Amino acid sequence: MGSGIYSFLLLKAFYKPFEAFTELAKVDPSPISIIFRYSLWLMLLPPVFSLIGAANFGWRLGANEPLMMGPNSLILISVGYFFVLLFGLVTTAIISCWMAGTYGASESLGRHFALITIVAQPLAIASIAHLFPDVLVNVLILIPTLIWSMYLLYKGIPIALDTPPERGMLMASSLVGWLLVAAVSLLGISMALWTMGVGPLLGV
Amino acid sequence: MEAVSENTYHDRIVIRLIQFSVLWAVAGMLAGVYISAELIWPGLDFGQFWLSFGRLRPLHTNGIIFGFGVSALMATAFYSVQRTSHVPLFAPKLAWFICYGWQIIVLLGGLSLLAGWNTTKEYAELEWPFDIAIAVLWVSFGIVFFGTIATRKIKPIYISNWFYGALIIVIAMLHIVNNLAIPVTIDKSYSIYAGAQDAVVQWWYGHNAVGFLLTGGFLGMVYYFLPKHAERPIWSYRLSVVAFWAFAYTYIWAGPHHLHYNSVPEWVQSLAMVMSVVLLAPSWATMINGIMTVSSAWEKLRTDPALKFIVLSLAFYGLATFEGPMMSIRSVNVVSHFTDWTIGHVHSGALGWNAMITYGTFYFMVPRLVGRELHSVRLANIHFALALAGTLLYIVAMWAAGVSQGLLWLSVDQLGELSFGFRDIMASMTPYYLLRLVAGLIFLTGTFLMTYNLFMTLKGQHATKVTVPAVNPAYGV
Amino acid sequence: MSGLSLHKKIEEHTGLLIFGILFVTALGGLVQLLPILNQDSLSTATANSHLYTAVELTGRDIYMREGCSVCHSQQIRPLIAEVERYGPYSRADEFVYDRPFMWGSKRTGPDLHRIGGKYSDDWHRIHLLDPRAVIPASIMPAYPWLEKRDASQTGNVTAKLRALRTLGHPYTDEDIEAAEADLDGLKEIDALIAYLQILGTSYSEETAL
């Protein structure tokens, strides 16, 4: 199995995701290798793009002037962004693996890491939109990408994890449920932290 | 009204209520799409008072909750209580009175809202003549429902009936207490409560209207229709018992989380916050019960589009019942209160949970009620994709809008001065409102497809006569 | 197991089930509502409370009719940013004559609790008839019919004051008799502006609790 699957993943998964899923179904990679040779690099893209964009253009929220932030804030945000993405990837893969038994899917943790990364890949690449941090631009690019990613999730699970399409659909729906809960928790935790002083200045 | 034999279920009324429910869904969602367009292009009221946002908004909320929601609850309650009691409906003429009486209230009530008869208390906007009419009808609903249970031929009262029962009892209590007012003229009354006291009463009502109508009643739907659909019993009976009583007890306390940092005593805010967080447990207990029940029936997903709706509705139920407690926490509420995040939360529940479970249930019920196949499985599958896409888009748009508003309103600079003007912040909401409009249109399109599909299935058909089956003596009364 | 056998009794008996549900669901309401409804400081008028005149009450009822509270809140929270933007935070005694309360649950437009005196009558007039004439990016609807309708068309103001008096609002007989005449010559827009202009103005730091 060696390094073949990883280089395959990095390249093929981008433009031939379904072949990647089929190849994935044949292997049981090591989760650590997947993270360090594949996932980490993708997870770096959004924070780096957002750092460059925010530093050069400022956050454009639609209101008059762009919001320019000092270097400390920018780095704090980007580092936080990276760790949130990493946390999201790791927890989703682990939860996916935990659920797999219920849905008759493969319980190879490495496969789950690879699967989730392939599903997230389009978003990581589309985050190039962060280079120009205008809300509308990012929304117009990232929402269709999100739709594509979800499609990959629903179609990819049965193939990569070797389970019937209907059980795959149920599992994908449960993962979507988890992702929604995770997203809203992220919102809530960020808000709680910001209002307690960890973040930009707020007059609460 | 044809004569119904002593021993067949009353299902014509169920079909009629489903038809009304679907029509109100379309009307209510059309109103919703229209007002969301008005938030982008305010000229869409063309200077007419009856198209004004302030009057159309309660039309939307009332049309959806009381028109779409309650009709669906009545339809499913009547269907399921008969079958779980093994008797035809108690007092069927009264049931028909309720069916048509309710539609008249919703229709005339809607028109009264356009005319400006408005108490401004949320989800209790209808003025006192309608409040009285609603109370009369609601008591009748209780008589028919509990009468059927009291005359049942099967000993235990099935759990779905506890939830519908709680819906009826609690809404009666909330409605009567919150709407107490001194009438002045036919179109105007003054609440007997004022100021801060009124606020606490109103949100005891408002939150529990959501809790027992939009949550409790629809959980009744889940507990009956999901096992029927999956052809398996509920995963854990014991869990459902604990979940029901914990749910019924805890939900009532959560009201004042709508009043964080408002001028009401601090103890009631904190109490509500704690109980709202506790509420997460019974809510998720039911979700888990549902998911585990349906997981074992996965082969049906291949052929049955309705089941897809049910599965996703449970996921969104999980989201909404997690988000609610989270937003009840003061440090999150500080940002979310008064923003579009609240609207997003409402719609993750209304679209993702309520609408989807109702759609799934209707797709299940209608073919069975008339003894033929659904007109088009393909359309139902397309509907599912549209419903899912519309819901997700709506939620994301409102999260983004709400969090932006909340944070930008609170932003101060190094000198402690406000960083942004209110007008600038609201002007920056347009992209999110556009997204939300698109989301609503997508969801509405799906609803249109369902309306067509269900009406084609029902066209020219009559309710199949279902004889009440014999009761296993072990469970007999 | 006695828990489950108690439950078996309840789930086999309609009356017990109804009573059980009613008991369990009434508790929270009783614990939260009774103390609040009995707390006099939440319903006793102070120097910060303003009894609406006939004209202002008419304006308030127009505000209700048009659904203004759906976009505008009337509740300033005790947060630094909010106090800076809108003024002193709202106190309970300012709302003792508000039937019903209109604290709102959404700000599509700014909070209005202390809007009184911040803009001129003329500004309000132009703004209500065409919001975009004063705020180009505004999404507020226009209310052209308010300047066409007489204030007396809003409703029976004499009956309103009488009803409020039975609820404890200290209107005198003179107030009630003069109510109709007070509206003479006024259009609905005048009444609404009168209401907006007193909002939050009774509050005073010295007498605040």
Side-chain angles (χ1 to χ4, degrees), chain B residues 166-209:
Chain B
L167 157 77
I168 294 173
I169 293 169
V170 175
I171 294 296
M173 172 177 73
L174 298 171
H175 174 76
I176 291 169
V177 173
N178 186 47
N179 283 295
L180 291 175
I182 306 276
V184 178
T185 45
I186 186 124
D187 61 343
K188 186 73 188 165
S189 61
Y190 288 116
S191 168
I192 66 167
Y193 315 101
Q197 295 175 331
D198 190 27
V200 179
V201 174
Q202 160 61 26
W203 287 113
W204 167 77
Y205 166 86
H207 189 79
N208 293 301

Short mmCIF file of all heavy atoms in Angstrom, two decimals, chain B residues 166-209:
data_model
loop_
_atom_site.label_atom_id
_atom_site.label_comp_id
_atom_site.label_asym_id
_atom_site.label_seq_id
_atom_site.Cartn_x
_atom_site.Cartn_y
_atom_site.Cartn_z
N ALA B 166 -50.93 16.16 25.68
CA ALA B 166 -50.22 17.28 26.29
C ALA B 166 -50.39 18.52 25.43
O ALA B 166 -50.59 19.63 25.94
CB ALA B 166 -48.74 16.95 26.44
N LEU B 167 -50.33 18.36 24.12
CA LEU B 167 -50.56 19.47 23.19
C LEU B 167 -51.89 20.15 23.52
O LEU B 167 -51.96 21.37 23.72
CB LEU B 167 -50.60 18.94 21.75
CG LEU B 167 -51.34 19.79 20.71
CD1 LEU B 167 -50.51 20.97 20.29
CD2 LEU B 167 -51.70 18.95 19.49
N ILE B 168 -52.95 19.34 23.62
CA ILE B 168 -54.28 19.90 23.82
C ILE B 168 -54.39 20.59 25.18
O ILE B 168 -54.86 21.73 25.27
CB ILE B 168 -55.34 18.80 23.67
CG1 ILE B 168 -55.36 18.30 22.23
CG2 ILE B 168 -56.72 19.31 24.08
CD1 ILE B 168 -56.24 17.10 22.01
N ILE B 169 -53.96 19.91 26.22
CA ILE B 169 -54.10 20.46 27.57
C ILE B 169 -53.26 21.72 27.75
O ILE B 169 -53.74 22.75 28.24
CB ILE B 169 -53.68 19.40 28.61
CG1 ILE B 169 -54.67 18.24 28.59
CG2 ILE B 169 -53.58 20.01 30.00
CD1 ILE B 169 -54.21 17.05 29.38
N VAL B 170 -52.01 21.65 27.37
CA VAL B 170 -51.12 22.78 27.63
C VAL B 170 -51.49 24.00 26.79
O VAL B 170 -51.49 25.13 27.29
CB VAL B 170 -49.65 22.38 27.41
CG1 VAL B 170 -48.74 23.58 27.55
CG2 VAL B 170 -49.25 21.31 28.39
N ILE B 171 -51.80 23.80 25.52
CA ILE B 171 -52.17 24.94 24.69
C ILE B 171 -53.42 25.61 25.24
O ILE B 171 -53.54 26.84 25.26
CB ILE B 171 -52.38 24.53 23.22
CG1 ILE B 171 -51.07 24.07 22.60
CG2 ILE B 171 -52.97 25.68 22.41
CD1 ILE B 171 -50.01 25.14 22.51
N ALA B 172 -54.37 24.80 25.75
CA ALA B 172 -55.56 25.39 26.35
C ALA B 172 -55.17 26.29 27.52
O ALA B 172 -55.61 27.44 27.62
CB ALA B 172 -56.50 24.29 26.82
N MET B 173 -54.31 25.76 28.39
CA MET B 173 -53.87 26.52 29.57
C MET B 173 -53.15 27.81 29.15
O MET B 173 -53.46 28.90 29.63
CB MET B 173 -52.93 25.63 30.40
CG MET B 173 -52.23 26.33 31.55
SD MET B 173 -51.21 25.20 32.54
CE MET B 173 -49.82 24.87 31.48
N LEU B 174 -52.22 27.69 28.22
CA LEU B 174 -51.44 28.85 27.78
C LEU B 174 -52.33 29.90 27.13
O LEU B 174 -52.23 31.10 27.40
CB LEU B 174 -50.38 28.43 26.77
CG LEU B 174 -49.30 27.45 27.21
CD1 LEU B 174 -48.50 27.00 25.99
CD2 LEU B 174 -48.38 28.09 28.21
N HIS B 175 -53.19 29.43 26.23
CA HIS B 175 -54.02 30.33 25.44
C HIS B 175 -54.92 31.16 26.34
O HIS B 175 -55.01 32.38 26.21
CB HIS B 175 -54.84 29.50 24.45
CG HIS B 175 -55.84 30.29 23.67
ND1 HIS B 175 -55.50 31.11 22.61
CD2 HIS B 175 -57.19 30.40 23.80
CE1 HIS B 175 -56.58 31.67 22.11
NE2 HIS B 175 -57.63 31.26 22.80
N ILE B 176 -55.58 30.47 27.27
CA ILE B 176 -56.53 31.18 28.12
C ILE B 176 -55.81 32.18 29.02
O ILE B 176 -56.20 33.34 29.11
CB ILE B 176 -57.34 30.17 28.96
CG1 ILE B 176 -58.27 29.38 28.02
CG2 ILE B 176 -58.15 30.88 30.04
CD1 ILE B 176 -58.93 28.20 28.68
N VAL B 177 -54.75 31.76 29.66
CA VAL B 177 -54.06 32.66 30.60
C VAL B 177 -53.43 33.85 29.89
O VAL B 177 -53.58 35.01 30.31
CB VAL B 177 -53.00 31.89 31.40
CG1 VAL B 177 -52.16 32.84 32.24
CG2 VAL B 177 -53.66 30.85 32.29
N ASN B 178 -52.76 33.62 28.78
CA ASN B 178 -52.02 34.71 28.14
C ASN B 178 -52.93 35.72 27.47
O ASN B 178 -52.57 36.89 27.33
CB ASN B 178 -51.04 34.14 27.11
CG ASN B 178 -50.15 35.22 26.50
OD1 ASN B 178 -49.58 36.05 27.20
ND2 ASN B 178 -50.03 35.23 25.18
N ASN B 179 -54.09 35.28 27.00
CA ASN B 179 -54.95 36.17 26.23
C ASN B 179 -55.97 36.92 27.07
O ASN B 179 -56.80 37.64 26.54
CB ASN B 179 -55.68 35.38 25.13
CG ASN B 179 -54.75 35.09 23.97
OD1 ASN B 179 -54.29 35.99 23.28
ND2 ASN B 179 -54.44 33.84 23.76
N LEU B 180 -55.89 36.79 28.40
CA LEU B 180 -56.84 37.50 29.25
C LEU B 180 -56.72 39.00 29.00
O LEU B 180 -55.64 39.58 29.11
CB LEU B 180 -56.58 37.18 30.72
CG LEU B 180 -56.92 35.75 31.13
CD1 LEU B 180 -56.51 35.49 32.57
CD2 LEU B 180 -58.40 35.47 30.95
N ALA B 181 -57.86 39.60 28.66
CA ALA B 181 -57.82 41.01 28.29
C ALA B 181 -59.19 41.62 28.50
O ALA B 181 -60.19 40.91 28.58
CB ALA B 181 -57.41 41.15 26.82
N ILE B 182 -59.22 42.95 28.59
CA ILE B 182 -60.49 43.69 28.67
C ILE B 182 -60.85 44.13 27.27
O ILE B 182 -60.10 44.89 26.64
CB ILE B 182 -60.32 44.95 29.55
CG1 ILE B 182 -59.75 44.59 30.90
CG2 ILE B 182 -61.63 45.71 29.65
CD1 ILE B 182 -60.77 44.14 31.91
N PRO B 183 -61.98 43.66 26.73
CA PRO B 183 -62.34 44.12 25.38
C PRO B 183 -62.82 45.56 25.42
O PRO B 183 -63.46 45.99 26.38
CB PRO B 183 -63.49 43.19 24.98
CG PRO B 183 -63.67 42.23 26.10
CD PRO B 183 -62.97 42.75 27.29
N VAL B 184 -62.51 46.32 24.38
CA VAL B 184 -62.96 47.70 24.26
C VAL B 184 -63.97 47.80 23.14
O VAL B 184 -65.08 48.27 23.29
CB VAL B 184 -61.78 48.63 23.99
CG1 VAL B 184 -62.26 50.06 23.82
CG2 VAL B 184 -60.76 48.54 25.11
N THR B 185 -63.55 47.37 21.96
CA THR B 185 -64.44 47.27 20.80
C THR B 185 -64.15 45.90 20.19
O THR B 185 -63.26 45.20 20.66
CB THR B 185 -64.15 48.36 19.76
OG1 THR B 185 -62.73 48.45 19.57
CG2 THR B 185 -64.68 49.70 20.20
N ILE B 186 -64.89 45.55 19.14
CA ILE B 186 -64.74 44.21 18.59
C ILE B 186 -63.32 43.93 18.13
O ILE B 186 -62.85 42.79 18.15
CB ILE B 186 -65.73 43.96 17.43
CG1 ILE B 186 -65.66 42.51 16.96
CG2 ILE B 186 -65.44 44.86 16.25
CD1 ILE B 186 -66.95 41.80 17.00
N ASP B 187 -62.61 45.01 17.74
CA ASP B 187 -61.29 44.80 17.17
C ASP B 187 -60.17 45.19 18.13
O ASP B 187 -59.00 45.25 17.74
CB ASP B 187 -61.15 45.63 15.89
CG ASP B 187 -61.32 47.13 16.17
OD1 ASP B 187 -61.86 47.50 17.24
OD2 ASP B 187 -60.93 47.93 15.30
N LYS B 188 -60.49 45.46 19.40
CA LYS B 188 -59.46 45.98 20.29
C LYS B 188 -59.69 45.55 21.72
O LYS B 188 -60.83 45.59 22.21
CB LYS B 188 -59.48 47.52 20.23
CG LYS B 188 -58.37 48.18 21.01
CD LYS B 188 -57.02 48.02 20.33
CE LYS B 188 -55.92 48.52 21.24
NZ LYS B 188 -54.60 48.08 20.80
N SER B 189 -58.61 45.13 22.37
CA SER B 189 -58.69 44.81 23.78
C SER B 189 -57.39 45.23 24.43
O SER B 189 -56.39 45.46 23.74
CB SER B 189 -58.90 43.30 23.97
OG SER B 189 -57.80 42.59 23.43
N TYR B 190 -57.39 45.34 25.73
CA TYR B 190 -56.14 45.63 26.46
C TYR B 190 -55.82 44.49 27.41
O TYR B 190 -56.66 44.07 28.20
CB TYR B 190 -56.25 46.95 27.23
CG TYR B 190 -56.22 48.16 26.33
CD1 TYR B 190 -57.31 49.01 26.23
CD2 TYR B 190 -55.09 48.44 25.55
CE1 TYR B 190 -57.28 50.12 25.39
CE2 TYR B 190 -55.06 49.53 24.70
CZ TYR B 190 -56.16 50.36 24.63
OH TYR B 190 -56.13 51.45 23.80
N SER B 191 -54.59 44.03 27.33
CA SER B 191 -54.13 42.92 28.15
C SER B 191 -54.29 43.25 29.64
O SER B 191 -54.06 44.37 30.06
CB SER B 191 -52.65 42.66 27.83
OG SER B 191 -52.09 41.80 28.76
N ILE B 192 -54.69 42.24 30.44
CA ILE B 192 -54.79 42.52 31.88
C ILE B 192 -53.41 42.59 32.51
O ILE B 192 -53.26 43.06 33.63
CB ILE B 192 -55.65 41.49 32.63
CG1 ILE B 192 -54.99 40.11 32.62
CG2 ILE B 192 -57.05 41.44 32.08
CD1 ILE B 192 -55.66 39.17 33.61
N TYR B 193 -52.43 42.12 31.78
CA TYR B 193 -51.06 42.23 32.28
C TYR B 193 -50.41 43.43 31.61
O TYR B 193 -50.72 43.78 30.48
CB TYR B 193 -50.25 40.98 31.93
CG TYR B 193 -50.94 39.68 32.18
CD1 TYR B 193 -51.51 38.98 31.12
CD2 TYR B 193 -51.03 39.14 33.46
CE1 TYR B 193 -52.15 37.78 31.33
CE2 TYR B 193 -51.67 37.94 33.67
CZ TYR B 193 -52.23 37.26 32.61
OH TYR B 193 -52.86 36.07 32.81
N ALA B 194 -49.46 44.04 32.32
CA ALA B 194 -48.74 45.17 31.73
C ALA B 194 -47.25 45.02 31.92
O ALA B 194 -46.79 44.30 32.82
CB ALA B 194 -49.20 46.47 32.39
N GLY B 195 -46.50 45.68 31.05
CA GLY B 195 -45.06 45.79 31.20
C GLY B 195 -44.32 44.50 31.46
O GLY B 195 -44.51 43.50 30.78
N ALA B 196 -43.47 44.53 32.48
CA ALA B 196 -42.59 43.40 32.76
C ALA B 196 -43.39 42.14 33.09
O ALA B 196 -42.99 41.02 32.73
CB ALA B 196 -41.65 43.74 33.91
N GLN B 197 -44.51 42.30 33.78
CA GLN B 197 -45.33 41.13 34.11
C GLN B 197 -45.89 40.51 32.84
O GLN B 197 -45.91 39.28 32.68
CB GLN B 197 -46.46 41.53 35.08
CG GLN B 197 -45.91 41.99 36.41
CD GLN B 197 -46.97 42.49 37.35
OE1 GLN B 197 -48.00 43.01 36.92
NE2 GLN B 197 -46.72 42.35 38.64
N ASP B 198 -46.35 41.37 31.92
CA ASP B 198 -46.86 40.88 30.65
C ASP B 198 -45.77 40.15 29.89
O ASP B 198 -46.01 39.13 29.24
CB ASP B 198 -47.39 42.06 29.83
CG ASP B 198 -48.16 41.61 28.60
OD1 ASP B 198 -48.72 40.51 28.63
OD2 ASP B 198 -48.17 42.36 27.61
N ALA B 199 -44.55 40.66 29.97
CA ALA B 199 -43.45 40.05 29.24
C ALA B 199 -43.24 38.60 29.69
O ALA B 199 -43.08 37.69 28.88
CB ALA B 199 -42.16 40.85 29.45
N VAL B 200 -43.27 38.40 31.01
CA VAL B 200 -43.03 37.04 31.51
C VAL B 200 -44.17 36.12 31.15
O VAL B 200 -43.97 34.97 30.75
CB VAL B 200 -42.80 37.06 33.04
CG1 VAL B 200 -42.57 35.66 33.56
CG2 VAL B 200 -41.59 37.92 33.37
N VAL B 201 -45.42 36.62 31.24
CA VAL B 201 -46.56 35.79 30.85
C VAL B 201 -46.51 35.47 29.36
O VAL B 201 -46.71 34.32 28.94
CB VAL B 201 -47.90 36.50 31.19
CG1 VAL B 201 -49.08 35.70 30.66
CG2 VAL B 201 -48.03 36.70 32.68
N GLN B 202 -46.23 36.48 28.56
CA GLN B 202 -46.19 36.28 27.11
C GLN B 202 -45.16 35.23 26.73
O GLN B 202 -45.43 34.37 25.88
CB GLN B 202 -45.86 37.61 26.41
CG GLN B 202 -45.31 37.49 24.98
CD GLN B 202 -46.25 36.83 23.98
OE1 GLN B 202 -47.47 36.87 24.17
NE2 GLN B 202 -45.70 36.22 22.94
N TRP B 203 -43.98 35.27 27.32
CA TRP B 203 -42.97 34.32 26.88
C TRP B 203 -43.13 32.95 27.54
O TRP B 203 -42.64 31.94 27.03
CB TRP B 203 -41.56 34.90 27.00
CG TRP B 203 -41.37 35.92 25.93
CD1 TRP B 203 -41.22 37.25 26.07
CD2 TRP B 203 -41.43 35.67 24.51
NE1 TRP B 203 -41.15 37.86 24.83
CE2 TRP B 203 -41.30 36.93 23.87
CE3 TRP B 203 -41.60 34.52 23.72
CZ2 TRP B 203 -41.29 37.05 22.47
CZ3 TRP B 203 -41.59 34.65 22.33
CH2 TRP B 203 -41.43 35.90 21.73
N TRP B 204 -43.86 32.88 28.65
CA TRP B 204 -44.30 31.58 29.16
C TRP B 204 -45.21 30.96 28.11
O TRP B 204 -45.07 29.79 27.75
CB TRP B 204 -45.03 31.79 30.48
CG TRP B 204 -45.80 30.64 31.01
CD1 TRP B 204 -45.32 29.53 31.65
CD2 TRP B 204 -47.23 30.49 31.01
NE1 TRP B 204 -46.35 28.71 32.03
CE2 TRP B 204 -47.54 29.27 31.66
CE3 TRP B 204 -48.29 31.27 30.53
CZ2 TRP B 204 -48.84 28.81 31.84
CZ3 TRP B 204 -49.58 30.81 30.71
CH2 TRP B 204 -49.85 29.59 31.36
N TYR B 205 -46.09 31.80 27.55
CA TYR B 205 -46.96 31.34 26.47
C TYR B 205 -46.16 31.04 25.20
O TYR B 205 -46.24 29.94 24.65
CB TYR B 205 -48.01 32.40 26.17
CG TYR B 205 -48.75 32.19 24.85
CD1 TYR B 205 -49.87 31.38 24.79
CD2 TYR B 205 -48.30 32.80 23.67
CE1 TYR B 205 -50.54 31.17 23.59
CE2 TYR B 205 -48.96 32.60 22.47
CZ TYR B 205 -50.09 31.78 22.43
OH TYR B 205 -50.74 31.58 21.24
N GLY B 206 -45.41 32.05 24.75
CA GLY B 206 -44.76 31.95 23.44
C GLY B 206 -43.82 30.77 23.34
O GLY B 206 -43.81 30.04 22.36
N HIS B 207 -43.01 30.58 24.40
CA HIS B 207 -42.07 29.49 24.31
C HIS B 207 -42.78 28.15 24.37
O HIS B 207 -42.39 27.20 23.68
CB HIS B 207 -41.02 29.56 25.42
CG HIS B 207 -39.98 28.56 25.16
ND1 HIS B 207 -38.96 28.77 24.24
CD2 HIS B 207 -39.83 27.30 25.60
CE1 HIS B 207 -38.24 27.67 24.18
NE2 HIS B 207 -38.74 26.77 24.99
N ASN B 208 -43.80 28.07 25.16
CA ASN B 208 -44.47 26.77 25.29
C ASN B 208 -45.44 26.49 24.17
O ASN B 208 -45.80 25.34 23.94
CB ASN B 208 -45.10 26.66 26.67
CG ASN B 208 -44.02 26.61 27.71
OD1 ASN B 208 -43.17 25.72 27.70
ND2 ASN B 208 -43.97 27.59 28.60
N ALA B 209 -45.85 27.54 23.46
CA ALA B 209 -46.60 27.29 22.23
C ALA B 209 -45.67 26.52 21.27
O ALA B 209 -46.05 25.54 20.66
CB ALA B 209 -47.05 28.60 21.60
#
